[in-house]
Amino acid sequence: MTALSVAMVVMVLTILLGFVDGMRRTFTMAAGRNNYILVFRGVKIEAGFINHETLDILRVRPEIALDASGKPLISPEILGAFDPTPDAPRASTAAIRAIKDVGYEVHNKIRVIEGRRPERGKNEWIVGQRLLVRFPILHVGAKARLGRLKVDFPIVGVFSDDGSARESEVLMDFDDLAVVNHVPPAEMGANTVHLVLKPGYEDEFAAALRKDSRLKVDLYSEQAFYELVAGVSNQLRGLGLIVAAILAIGALFGAMNTMYSAVARRKREVGTLRALGFGRGNVLSAFVVESAVLGLCGGVIGELLALIVAHTTGLESRLMTVGNIMFSFSLPLSVFGYGLVAAIAIGVLGGLLPAWQASRLDVMEALRD
């Protein structure tokens, strides 16, 4: 029964960490190698406004990597939202990102899996595959509306991005968005700027940004930025740990009760060991190890239960949603490691006091008993 109580704690902890890891992976998978992001100074999300003068200054920086044709790999982007089901009784929200053609080279994990990429001047969209699962109405060949703009946007393709958060978005051409908003494309600003730096030029580029008073932007590596954005997963992890801790208290008392019973039953054996020359430390460690093994057995059972629950309920194939981001349940090896560590910790903590009591037993009294 003690092992099963530990197993329940580990099962809940494993499932909660599976949700957290899936969400975190979805955010961080959007990061590219040598990719950086510029946001308006003081802004921690893809919002704010970077004007076109700043974009013109950035494009000619020598630290930015070039593509095969010699163009700088710098992608100004605008992130917005729209209602993919305007005729439904209840409003929904999805994310849309406007990028230039170079954006597909900057975000080089984007792959078209159906149809084609949008062409400039045609107001076309390409939909992330996870967004399509959630809103089948956004299939190839359909048309959509963006806010109050009286323009039909035909959907011409579906893309994947290695399971990242971008698969929860729609992509369209940056200049087309400027035109439909009646802004000259050359004067269009951006919410963020994604770029690829030449290896080893990160510090030089950061120093140049600090020295130029015209550039009111902050530089992050995409990995660091998406780790920051994934802060909601840290909050969920904290809530999960609180729930697991409450359950662990019950399991801890269960383990303690079991080991106190073991000590009461084995007074004669303890006395015999002491009479044969085993010290108090030997007795203490023996009971603590026994309790730890009990916790470990419960941890293994709990992780097996978590796998069974995830498989039978279809968690591994189901899409969950936080805001506009869709993610999948994930159970990496590290989650199993955390579960086993928690189980052993419950066993050790639950066995310490009974083991201490056993080590302090009077030898003669234990033998008489």
Side-chain angles (χ1 to χ4, degrees), residues 84-122:
T85 56
D87 298 326
R90 188 174 180 179
S92 302
T93 306
I96 182 167
R97 184 181 298 270
I99 64 175
K100 294 178 177 287
D101 286 341
V102 71
Y104 295 96
E105 297 184 59
V106 173
H107 306 301
N108 56 19
K109 292 183 290 185
I110 293 178
R111 299 287 182 270
V112 177
I113 59 176
E114 183 182 353
R116 59 177 176 81
R117 279 168 32 181
E119 295 179 3
R120 183 180 178 184
K122 295 185 177 180

PDB file of all heavy atoms in Angstrom, residues 84-122:
ATOM      1  N   PRO A  84     -10.681  32.830 -37.080  1.00  0.00           N
ATOM      2  CA  PRO A  84     -10.764  31.904 -38.211  1.00  0.00           C
ATOM      3  C   PRO A  84     -12.184  31.400 -38.482  1.00  0.00           C
ATOM      4  O   PRO A  84     -12.438  30.809 -39.536  1.00  0.00           O
ATOM      5  CB  PRO A  84      -9.859  30.750 -37.771  1.00  0.00           C
ATOM      6  CG  PRO A  84      -9.876  30.800 -36.297  1.00  0.00           C
ATOM      7  CD  PRO A  84     -10.038  32.237 -35.909  1.00  0.00           C
ATOM      8  N   THR A  85     -13.097  31.611 -37.538  1.00  0.00           N
ATOM      9  CA  THR A  85     -14.482  31.153 -37.715  1.00  0.00           C
ATOM     10  C   THR A  85     -15.433  32.321 -37.471  1.00  0.00           C
ATOM     11  O   THR A  85     -16.185  32.336 -36.492  1.00  0.00           O
ATOM     12  CB  THR A  85     -14.796  30.003 -36.744  1.00  0.00           C
ATOM     13  OG1 THR A  85     -14.520  30.447 -35.402  1.00  0.00           O
ATOM     14  CG2 THR A  85     -13.929  28.785 -37.053  1.00  0.00           C
ATOM     15  N   PRO A  86     -15.431  33.331 -38.359  1.00  0.00           N
ATOM     16  CA  PRO A  86     -16.243  34.536 -38.109  1.00  0.00           C
ATOM     17  C   PRO A  86     -17.738  34.276 -38.086  1.00  0.00           C
ATOM     18  O   PRO A  86     -18.495  35.062 -37.513  1.00  0.00           O
ATOM     19  CB  PRO A  86     -15.859  35.464 -39.277  1.00  0.00           C
ATOM     20  CG  PRO A  86     -15.360  34.532 -40.341  1.00  0.00           C
ATOM     21  CD  PRO A  86     -14.714  33.396 -39.638  1.00  0.00           C
ATOM     22  N   ASP A  87     -18.189  33.182 -38.712  1.00  0.00           N
ATOM     23  CA  ASP A  87     -19.625  32.907 -38.757  1.00  0.00           C
ATOM     24  C   ASP A  87     -20.097  32.064 -37.585  1.00  0.00           C
ATOM     25  O   ASP A  87     -21.294  31.812 -37.448  1.00  0.00           O
ATOM     26  CB  ASP A  87     -19.979  32.181 -40.069  1.00  0.00           C
ATOM     27  CG  ASP A  87     -19.658  33.044 -41.292  1.00  0.00           C
ATOM     28  OD1 ASP A  87     -19.808  34.270 -41.187  1.00  0.00           O
ATOM     29  OD2 ASP A  87     -19.258  32.485 -42.329  1.00  0.00           O
ATOM     30  N   ALA A  88     -19.193  31.614 -36.762  1.00  0.00           N
ATOM     31  CA  ALA A  88     -19.563  30.787 -35.611  1.00  0.00           C
ATOM     32  C   ALA A  88     -20.168  31.662 -34.518  1.00  0.00           C
ATOM     33  O   ALA A  88     -19.847  32.848 -34.404  1.00  0.00           O
ATOM     34  CB  ALA A  88     -18.345  30.043 -35.082  1.00  0.00           C
ATOM     35  N   PRO A  89     -21.058  31.085 -33.699  1.00  0.00           N
ATOM     36  CA  PRO A  89     -21.679  31.892 -32.625  1.00  0.00           C
ATOM     37  C   PRO A  89     -20.686  32.353 -31.572  1.00  0.00           C
ATOM     38  O   PRO A  89     -20.921  33.340 -30.878  1.00  0.00           O
ATOM     39  CB  PRO A  89     -22.717  30.935 -32.029  1.00  0.00           C
ATOM     40  CG  PRO A  89     -22.264  29.566 -32.423  1.00  0.00           C
ATOM     41  CD  PRO A  89     -21.587  29.721 -33.743  1.00  0.00           C
ATOM     42  N   ARG A  90     -19.577  31.621 -31.442  1.00  0.00           N
ATOM     43  CA  ARG A  90     -18.579  31.977 -30.433  1.00  0.00           C
ATOM     44  C   ARG A  90     -17.276  32.323 -31.124  1.00  0.00           C
ATOM     45  O   ARG A  90     -16.801  31.581 -31.991  1.00  0.00           O
ATOM     46  CB  ARG A  90     -18.367  30.796 -29.475  1.00  0.00           C
ATOM     47  CG  ARG A  90     -17.496  31.111 -28.292  1.00  0.00           C
ATOM     48  CD  ARG A  90     -17.466  29.938 -27.334  1.00  0.00           C
ATOM     49  NE  ARG A  90     -16.642  30.206 -26.175  1.00  0.00           N
ATOM     50  CZ  ARG A  90     -16.466  29.349 -25.179  1.00  0.00           C
ATOM     51  NH1 ARG A  90     -17.061  28.170 -25.210  1.00  0.00           N
ATOM     52  NH2 ARG A  90     -15.694  29.672 -24.152  1.00  0.00           N
ATOM     53  N   ALA A  91     -16.692  33.457 -30.757  1.00  0.00           N
ATOM     54  CA  ALA A  91     -15.470  33.923 -31.419  1.00  0.00           C
ATOM     55  C   ALA A  91     -14.275  33.048 -31.052  1.00  0.00           C
ATOM     56  O   ALA A  91     -14.178  32.528 -29.942  1.00  0.00           O
ATOM     57  CB  ALA A  91     -15.184  35.378 -31.038  1.00  0.00           C
ATOM     58  N   SER A  92     -13.378  32.861 -32.022  1.00  0.00           N
ATOM     59  CA  SER A  92     -12.117  32.150 -31.803  1.00  0.00           C
ATOM     60  C   SER A  92     -10.976  33.077 -32.198  1.00  0.00           C
ATOM     61  O   SER A  92     -11.183  34.098 -32.852  1.00  0.00           O
ATOM     62  CB  SER A  92     -12.073  30.871 -32.638  1.00  0.00           C
ATOM     63  OG  SER A  92     -13.156  30.016 -32.325  1.00  0.00           O
ATOM     64  N   THR A  93      -9.777  32.707 -31.810  1.00  0.00           N
ATOM     65  CA  THR A  93      -8.610  33.524 -32.125  1.00  0.00           C
ATOM     66  C   THR A  93      -7.479  32.644 -32.612  1.00  0.00           C
ATOM     67  O   THR A  93      -7.227  31.574 -32.061  1.00  0.00           O
ATOM     68  CB  THR A  93      -8.132  34.309 -30.890  1.00  0.00           C
ATOM     69  OG1 THR A  93      -9.215  35.062 -30.359  1.00  0.00           O
ATOM     70  CG2 THR A  93      -6.993  35.255 -31.259  1.00  0.00           C
ATOM     71  N   ALA A  94      -6.811  33.104 -33.658  1.00  0.00           N
ATOM     72  CA  ALA A  94      -5.621  32.430 -34.169  1.00  0.00           C
ATOM     73  C   ALA A  94      -4.588  33.490 -34.519  1.00  0.00           C
ATOM     74  O   ALA A  94      -4.924  34.658 -34.736  1.00  0.00           O
ATOM     75  CB  ALA A  94      -5.959  31.583 -35.394  1.00  0.00           C
ATOM     76  N   ALA A  95      -3.335  33.083 -34.565  1.00  0.00           N
ATOM     77  CA  ALA A  95      -2.237  34.027 -34.826  1.00  0.00           C
ATOM     78  C   ALA A  95      -1.897  34.045 -36.306  1.00  0.00           C
ATOM     79  O   ALA A  95      -1.951  33.015 -37.001  1.00  0.00           O
ATOM     80  CB  ALA A  95      -1.008  33.638 -34.023  1.00  0.00           C
ATOM     81  N   ILE A  96      -1.525  35.216 -36.803  1.00  0.00           N
ATOM     82  CA  ILE A  96      -1.072  35.372 -38.183  1.00  0.00           C
ATOM     83  C   ILE A  96       0.229  36.162 -38.175  1.00  0.00           C
ATOM     84  O   ILE A  96       0.373  37.128 -37.429  1.00  0.00           O
ATOM     85  CB  ILE A  96      -2.147  36.063 -39.059  1.00  0.00           C
ATOM     86  CG1 ILE A  96      -1.653  36.176 -40.507  1.00  0.00           C
ATOM     87  CG2 ILE A  96      -2.569  37.410 -38.496  1.00  0.00           C
ATOM     88  CD1 ILE A  96      -2.745  36.550 -41.494  1.00  0.00           C
ATOM     89  N   ARG A  97       1.174  35.726 -38.989  1.00  0.00           N
ATOM     90  CA  ARG A  97       2.487  36.341 -39.040  1.00  0.00           C
ATOM     91  C   ARG A  97       2.780  36.761 -40.481  1.00  0.00           C
ATOM     92  O   ARG A  97       2.662  35.950 -41.412  1.00  0.00           O
ATOM     93  CB  ARG A  97       3.560  35.356 -38.562  1.00  0.00           C
ATOM     94  CG  ARG A  97       4.976  35.933 -38.494  1.00  0.00           C
ATOM     95  CD  ARG A  97       5.957  34.852 -38.041  1.00  0.00           C
ATOM     96  NE  ARG A  97       5.649  34.368 -36.708  1.00  0.00           N
ATOM     97  CZ  ARG A  97       6.142  34.888 -35.598  1.00  0.00           C
ATOM     98  NH1 ARG A  97       6.980  35.923 -35.661  1.00  0.00           N
ATOM     99  NH2 ARG A  97       5.813  34.386 -34.419  1.00  0.00           N
ATOM    100  N   ALA A  98       3.160  38.018 -40.660  1.00  0.00           N
ATOM    101  CA  ALA A  98       3.541  38.529 -41.983  1.00  0.00           C
ATOM    102  C   ALA A  98       5.058  38.533 -42.090  1.00  0.00           C
ATOM    103  O   ALA A  98       5.737  39.116 -41.239  1.00  0.00           O
ATOM    104  CB  ALA A  98       2.986  39.939 -42.188  1.00  0.00           C
ATOM    105  N   ILE A  99       5.579  37.861 -43.117  1.00  0.00           N
ATOM    106  CA  ILE A  99       7.031  37.797 -43.319  1.00  0.00           C
ATOM    107  C   ILE A  99       7.340  38.019 -44.793  1.00  0.00           C
ATOM    108  O   ILE A  99       6.477  37.873 -45.664  1.00  0.00           O
ATOM    109  CB  ILE A  99       7.617  36.444 -42.860  1.00  0.00           C
ATOM    110  CG1 ILE A  99       7.063  35.297 -43.717  1.00  0.00           C
ATOM    111  CG2 ILE A  99       7.324  36.194 -41.397  1.00  0.00           C
ATOM    112  CD1 ILE A  99       7.693  33.940 -43.404  1.00  0.00           C
ATOM    113  N   LYS A 100       8.581  38.355 -45.073  1.00  0.00           N
ATOM    114  CA  LYS A 100       9.052  38.459 -46.454  1.00  0.00           C
ATOM    115  C   LYS A 100       9.570  37.097 -46.919  1.00  0.00           C
ATOM    116  O   LYS A 100       9.682  36.154 -46.125  1.00  0.00           O
ATOM    117  CB  LYS A 100      10.157  39.510 -46.546  1.00  0.00           C
ATOM    118  CG  LYS A 100       9.684  40.941 -46.265  1.00  0.00           C
ATOM    119  CD  LYS A 100      10.854  41.913 -46.336  1.00  0.00           C
ATOM    120  CE  LYS A 100      10.382  43.361 -46.130  1.00  0.00           C
ATOM    121  NZ  LYS A 100       9.657  43.872 -47.306  1.00  0.00           N
ATOM    122  N   ASP A 101       9.905  37.002 -48.204  1.00  0.00           N
ATOM    123  CA  ASP A 101      10.421  35.737 -48.734  1.00  0.00           C
ATOM    124  C   ASP A 101      11.667  35.281 -47.981  1.00  0.00           C
ATOM    125  O   ASP A 101      11.870  34.083 -47.770  1.00  0.00           O
ATOM    126  CB  ASP A 101      10.742  35.876 -50.226  1.00  0.00           C
ATOM    127  CG  ASP A 101       9.479  35.911 -51.082  1.00  0.00           C
ATOM    128  OD1 ASP A 101       8.422  35.471 -50.588  1.00  0.00           O
ATOM    129  OD2 ASP A 101       9.555  36.369 -52.238  1.00  0.00           O
ATOM    130  N   VAL A 102      12.497  36.238 -47.557  1.00  0.00           N
ATOM    131  CA  VAL A 102      13.719  35.872 -46.854  1.00  0.00           C
ATOM    132  C   VAL A 102      13.409  35.217 -45.513  1.00  0.00           C
ATOM    133  O   VAL A 102      14.235  34.487 -44.951  1.00  0.00           O
ATOM    134  CB  VAL A 102      14.616  37.110 -46.658  1.00  0.00           C
ATOM    135  CG1 VAL A 102      14.008  38.068 -45.633  1.00  0.00           C
ATOM    136  CG2 VAL A 102      16.028  36.717 -46.256  1.00  0.00           C
ATOM    137  N   GLY A 103      12.205  35.441 -44.995  1.00  0.00           N
ATOM    138  CA  GLY A 103      11.819  34.838 -43.724  1.00  0.00           C
ATOM    139  C   GLY A 103      11.834  33.322 -43.770  1.00  0.00           C
ATOM    140  O   GLY A 103      12.113  32.665 -42.763  1.00  0.00           O
ATOM    141  N   TYR A 104      11.556  32.746 -44.942  1.00  0.00           N
ATOM    142  CA  TYR A 104      11.579  31.295 -45.071  1.00  0.00           C
ATOM    143  C   TYR A 104      13.011  30.749 -45.035  1.00  0.00           C
ATOM    144  O   TYR A 104      13.216  29.574 -44.732  1.00  0.00           O
ATOM    145  CB  TYR A 104      10.900  30.869 -46.370  1.00  0.00           C
ATOM    146  CG  TYR A 104       9.422  31.205 -46.403  1.00  0.00           C
ATOM    147  CD1 TYR A 104       8.959  32.366 -47.018  1.00  0.00           C
ATOM    148  CD2 TYR A 104       8.488  30.365 -45.803  1.00  0.00           C
ATOM    149  CE1 TYR A 104       7.611  32.676 -47.042  1.00  0.00           C
ATOM    150  CE2 TYR A 104       7.132  30.667 -45.822  1.00  0.00           C
ATOM    151  CZ  TYR A 104       6.706  31.829 -46.435  1.00  0.00           C
ATOM    152  OH  TYR A 104       5.360  32.142 -46.444  1.00  0.00           O
ATOM    153  N   GLU A 105      13.983  31.605 -45.338  1.00  0.00           N
ATOM    154  CA  GLU A 105      15.383  31.192 -45.210  1.00  0.00           C
ATOM    155  C   GLU A 105      15.885  31.399 -43.786  1.00  0.00           C
ATOM    156  O   GLU A 105      16.696  30.611 -43.293  1.00  0.00           O
ATOM    157  CB  GLU A 105      16.252  31.982 -46.193  1.00  0.00           C
ATOM    158  CG  GLU A 105      15.917  31.724 -47.658  1.00  0.00           C
ATOM    159  CD  GLU A 105      16.850  32.455 -48.588  1.00  0.00           C
ATOM    160  OE1 GLU A 105      18.073  32.214 -48.511  1.00  0.00           O
ATOM    161  OE2 GLU A 105      16.360  33.293 -49.383  1.00  0.00           O
ATOM    162  N   VAL A 106      15.419  32.460 -43.141  1.00  0.00           N
ATOM    163  CA  VAL A 106      15.789  32.688 -41.740  1.00  0.00           C
ATOM    164  C   VAL A 106      15.214  31.562 -40.869  1.00  0.00           C
ATOM    165  O   VAL A 106      15.912  30.973 -40.041  1.00  0.00           O
ATOM    166  CB  VAL A 106      15.293  34.066 -41.261  1.00  0.00           C
ATOM    167  CG1 VAL A 106      15.523  34.224 -39.761  1.00  0.00           C
ATOM    168  CG2 VAL A 106      15.992  35.172 -42.027  1.00  0.00           C
ATOM    169  N   HIS A 107      13.928  31.272 -41.067  1.00  0.00           N
ATOM    170  CA  HIS A 107      13.282  30.153 -40.359  1.00  0.00           C
ATOM    171  C   HIS A 107      13.387  28.920 -41.262  1.00  0.00           C
ATOM    172  O   HIS A 107      12.412  28.491 -41.880  1.00  0.00           O
ATOM    173  CB  HIS A 107      11.816  30.485 -40.067  1.00  0.00           C
ATOM    174  CG  HIS A 107      11.613  31.776 -39.339  1.00  0.00           C
ATOM    175  ND1 HIS A 107      12.169  32.047 -38.107  1.00  0.00           N
ATOM    176  CD2 HIS A 107      10.913  32.899 -39.689  1.00  0.00           C
ATOM    177  CE1 HIS A 107      11.813  33.253 -37.708  1.00  0.00           C
ATOM    178  NE2 HIS A 107      11.055  33.791 -38.652  1.00  0.00           N
ATOM    179  N   ASN A 108      14.571  28.361 -41.320  1.00  0.00           N
ATOM    180  CA  ASN A 108      14.835  27.357 -42.358  1.00  0.00           C
ATOM    181  C   ASN A 108      14.284  25.973 -42.056  1.00  0.00           C
ATOM    182  O   ASN A 108      14.525  25.030 -42.822  1.00  0.00           O
ATOM    183  CB  ASN A 108      16.345  27.264 -42.621  1.00  0.00           C
ATOM    184  CG  ASN A 108      17.144  26.956 -41.365  1.00  0.00           C
ATOM    185  OD1 ASN A 108      16.598  26.483 -40.385  1.00  0.00           O
ATOM    186  ND2 ASN A 108      18.435  27.234 -41.416  1.00  0.00           N
ATOM    187  N   LYS A 109      13.537  25.818 -40.956  1.00  0.00           N
ATOM    188  CA  LYS A 109      12.893  24.525 -40.700  1.00  0.00           C
ATOM    189  C   LYS A 109      11.471  24.467 -41.253  1.00  0.00           C
ATOM    190  O   LYS A 109      10.814  23.425 -41.171  1.00  0.00           O
ATOM    191  CB  LYS A 109      12.876  24.247 -39.196  1.00  0.00           C
ATOM    192  CG  LYS A 109      14.269  23.995 -38.609  1.00  0.00           C
ATOM    193  CD  LYS A 109      14.209  23.643 -37.136  1.00  0.00           C
ATOM    194  CE  LYS A 109      13.799  24.820 -36.293  1.00  0.00           C
ATOM    195  NZ  LYS A 109      13.857  24.526 -34.836  1.00  0.00           N
ATOM    196  N   ILE A 110      10.990  25.579 -41.802  1.00  0.00           N
ATOM    197  CA  ILE A 110       9.652  25.591 -42.383  1.00  0.00           C
ATOM    198  C   ILE A 110       9.648  24.749 -43.660  1.00  0.00           C
ATOM    199  O   ILE A 110      10.480  24.941 -44.551  1.00  0.00           O
ATOM    200  CB  ILE A 110       9.195  27.027 -42.692  1.00  0.00           C
ATOM    201  CG1 ILE A 110       8.991  27.803 -41.389  1.00  0.00           C
ATOM    202  CG2 ILE A 110       7.911  27.028 -43.513  1.00  0.00           C
ATOM    203  CD1 ILE A 110       8.590  29.253 -41.602  1.00  0.00           C
ATOM    204  N   ARG A 111       8.709  23.808 -43.737  1.00  0.00           N
ATOM    205  CA  ARG A 111       8.568  22.944 -44.900  1.00  0.00           C
ATOM    206  C   ARG A 111       7.117  22.955 -45.380  1.00  0.00           C
ATOM    207  O   ARG A 111       6.201  22.780 -44.575  1.00  0.00           O
ATOM    208  CB  ARG A 111       8.969  21.503 -44.567  1.00  0.00           C
ATOM    209  CG  ARG A 111      10.422  21.331 -44.126  1.00  0.00           C
ATOM    210  CD  ARG A 111      11.381  21.495 -45.315  1.00  0.00           C
ATOM    211  NE  ARG A 111      12.764  21.287 -44.890  1.00  0.00           N
ATOM    212  CZ  ARG A 111      13.573  22.236 -44.448  1.00  0.00           C
ATOM    213  NH1 ARG A 111      13.111  23.490 -44.365  1.00  0.00           N
ATOM    214  NH2 ARG A 111      14.812  21.986 -44.094  1.00  0.00           N
ATOM    215  N   VAL A 112       6.918  23.155 -46.675  1.00  0.00           N
ATOM    216  CA  VAL A 112       5.576  23.111 -47.246  1.00  0.00           C
ATOM    217  C   VAL A 112       5.197  21.649 -47.426  1.00  0.00           C
ATOM    218  O   VAL A 112       5.879  20.901 -48.128  1.00  0.00           O
ATOM    219  CB  VAL A 112       5.511  23.852 -48.590  1.00  0.00           C
ATOM    220  CG1 VAL A 112       4.108  23.732 -49.185  1.00  0.00           C
ATOM    221  CG2 VAL A 112       5.896  25.320 -48.414  1.00  0.00           C
ATOM    222  N   ILE A 113       4.111  21.208 -46.781  1.00  0.00           N
ATOM    223  CA  ILE A 113       3.702  19.811 -46.869  1.00  0.00           C
ATOM    224  C   ILE A 113       2.463  19.627 -47.747  1.00  0.00           C
ATOM    225  O   ILE A 113       2.102  18.500 -48.071  1.00  0.00           O
ATOM    226  CB  ILE A 113       3.445  19.225 -45.467  1.00  0.00           C
ATOM    227  CG1 ILE A 113       2.367  20.015 -44.734  1.00  0.00           C
ATOM    228  CG2 ILE A 113       4.734  19.199 -44.663  1.00  0.00           C
ATOM    229  CD1 ILE A 113       1.997  19.427 -43.369  1.00  0.00           C
ATOM    230  N   GLU A 114       1.839  20.735 -48.112  1.00  0.00           N
ATOM    231  CA  GLU A 114       0.703  20.677 -49.026  1.00  0.00           C
ATOM    232  C   GLU A 114       0.579  22.025 -49.731  1.00  0.00           C
ATOM    233  O   GLU A 114       0.720  23.074 -49.112  1.00  0.00           O
ATOM    234  CB  GLU A 114      -0.596  20.363 -48.267  1.00  0.00           C
ATOM    235  CG  GLU A 114      -1.803  20.227 -49.178  1.00  0.00           C
ATOM    236  CD  GLU A 114      -3.089  19.964 -48.421  1.00  0.00           C
ATOM    237  OE1 GLU A 114      -3.029  19.759 -47.186  1.00  0.00           O
ATOM    238  OE2 GLU A 114      -4.170  19.972 -49.059  1.00  0.00           O
ATOM    239  N   GLY A 115       0.338  21.999 -51.024  1.00  0.00           N
ATOM    240  CA  GLY A 115       0.199  23.242 -51.768  1.00  0.00           C
ATOM    241  C   GLY A 115       1.544  23.921 -51.997  1.00  0.00           C
ATOM    242  O   GLY A 115       2.551  23.282 -52.264  1.00  0.00           O
ATOM    243  N   ARG A 116       1.567  25.242 -51.817  1.00  0.00           N
ATOM    244  CA  ARG A 116       2.769  26.032 -52.085  1.00  0.00           C
ATOM    245  C   ARG A 116       2.836  27.227 -51.148  1.00  0.00           C
ATOM    246  O   ARG A 116       1.915  27.475 -50.368  1.00  0.00           O
ATOM    247  CB  ARG A 116       2.756  26.513 -53.542  1.00  0.00           C
ATOM    248  CG  ARG A 116       1.531  27.366 -53.877  1.00  0.00           C
ATOM    249  CD  ARG A 116       1.576  27.894 -55.299  1.00  0.00           C
ATOM    250  NE  ARG A 116       0.367  28.627 -55.659  1.00  0.00           N
ATOM    251  CZ  ARG A 116       0.112  29.884 -55.339  1.00  0.00           C
ATOM    252  NH1 ARG A 116       1.004  30.578 -54.624  1.00  0.00           N
ATOM    253  NH2 ARG A 116      -1.011  30.479 -55.713  1.00  0.00           N
ATOM    254  N   ARG A 117       3.951  27.971 -51.259  1.00  0.00           N
ATOM    255  CA  ARG A 117       4.115  29.182 -50.466  1.00  0.00           C
ATOM    256  C   ARG A 117       3.332  30.341 -51.083  1.00  0.00           C
ATOM    257  O   ARG A 117       3.088  30.358 -52.295  1.00  0.00           O
ATOM    258  CB  ARG A 117       5.591  29.548 -50.386  1.00  0.00           C
ATOM    259  CG  ARG A 117       6.330  28.754 -49.334  1.00  0.00           C
ATOM    260  CD  ARG A 117       7.814  28.856 -49.394  1.00  0.00           C
ATOM    261  NE  ARG A 117       8.359  30.120 -49.853  1.00  0.00           N
ATOM    262  CZ  ARG A 117       9.656  30.360 -49.989  1.00  0.00           C
ATOM    263  NH1 ARG A 117      10.541  29.396 -49.695  1.00  0.00           N
ATOM    264  NH2 ARG A 117      10.097  31.520 -50.407  1.00  0.00           N
ATOM    265  N   PRO A 118       2.945  31.334 -50.264  1.00  0.00           N
ATOM    266  CA  PRO A 118       2.257  32.512 -50.805  1.00  0.00           C
ATOM    267  C   PRO A 118       3.155  33.288 -51.769  1.00  0.00           C
ATOM    268  O   PRO A 118       4.373  33.364 -51.590  1.00  0.00           O
ATOM    269  CB  PRO A 118       1.950  33.349 -49.564  1.00  0.00           C
ATOM    270  CG  PRO A 118       2.010  32.399 -48.429  1.00  0.00           C
ATOM    271  CD  PRO A 118       3.039  31.382 -48.794  1.00  0.00           C
ATOM    272  N   GLU A 119       2.543  33.856 -52.789  1.00  0.00           N
ATOM    273  CA  GLU A 119       3.266  34.693 -53.750  1.00  0.00           C
ATOM    274  C   GLU A 119       2.919  36.154 -53.487  1.00  0.00           C
ATOM    275  O   GLU A 119       1.767  36.498 -53.205  1.00  0.00           O
ATOM    276  CB  GLU A 119       2.894  34.315 -55.185  1.00  0.00           C
ATOM    277  CG  GLU A 119       3.324  32.906 -55.557  1.00  0.00           C
ATOM    278  CD  GLU A 119       2.924  32.553 -56.985  1.00  0.00           C
ATOM    279  OE1 GLU A 119       2.357  33.431 -57.689  1.00  0.00           O
ATOM    280  OE2 GLU A 119       3.162  31.403 -57.404  1.00  0.00           O
ATOM    281  N   ARG A 120       3.929  36.979 -53.608  1.00  0.00           N
ATOM    282  CA  ARG A 120       3.733  38.403 -53.343  1.00  0.00           C
ATOM    283  C   ARG A 120       2.744  39.007 -54.331  1.00  0.00           C
ATOM    284  O   ARG A 120       2.768  38.714 -55.530  1.00  0.00           O
ATOM    285  CB  ARG A 120       5.079  39.129 -53.437  1.00  0.00           C
ATOM    286  CG  ARG A 120       5.008  40.607 -53.113  1.00  0.00           C
ATOM    287  CD  ARG A 120       6.361  41.256 -53.236  1.00  0.00           C
ATOM    288  NE  ARG A 120       6.298  42.680 -52.979  1.00  0.00           N
ATOM    289  CZ  ARG A 120       7.321  43.517 -53.094  1.00  0.00           C
ATOM    290  NH1 ARG A 120       8.511  43.042 -53.454  1.00  0.00           N
ATOM    291  NH2 ARG A 120       7.179  44.805 -52.847  1.00  0.00           N
ATOM    292  N   GLY A 121       1.872  39.872 -53.807  1.00  0.00           N
ATOM    293  CA  GLY A 121       0.899  40.567 -54.641  1.00  0.00           C
ATOM    294  C   GLY A 121      -0.419  39.841 -54.806  1.00  0.00           C
ATOM    295  O   GLY A 121      -1.334  40.367 -55.446  1.00  0.00           O
ATOM    296  N   LYS A 122      -0.563  38.630 -54.200  1.00  0.00           N
ATOM    297  CA  LYS A 122      -1.794  37.856 -54.368  1.00  0.00           C
ATOM    298  C   LYS A 122      -2.580  37.686 -53.065  1.00  0.00           C
ATOM    299  O   LYS A 122      -3.610  37.002 -53.055  1.00  0.00           O
ATOM    300  CB  LYS A 122      -1.466  36.481 -54.951  1.00  0.00           C
ATOM    301  CG  LYS A 122      -0.889  36.541 -56.351  1.00  0.00           C
ATOM    302  CD  LYS A 122      -0.694  35.145 -56.931  1.00  0.00           C
ATOM    303  CE  LYS A 122      -0.186  35.205 -58.367  1.00  0.00           C
ATOM    304  NZ  LYS A 122      -0.001  33.833 -58.942  1.00  0.00           N
TER     305      LYS A 122
END
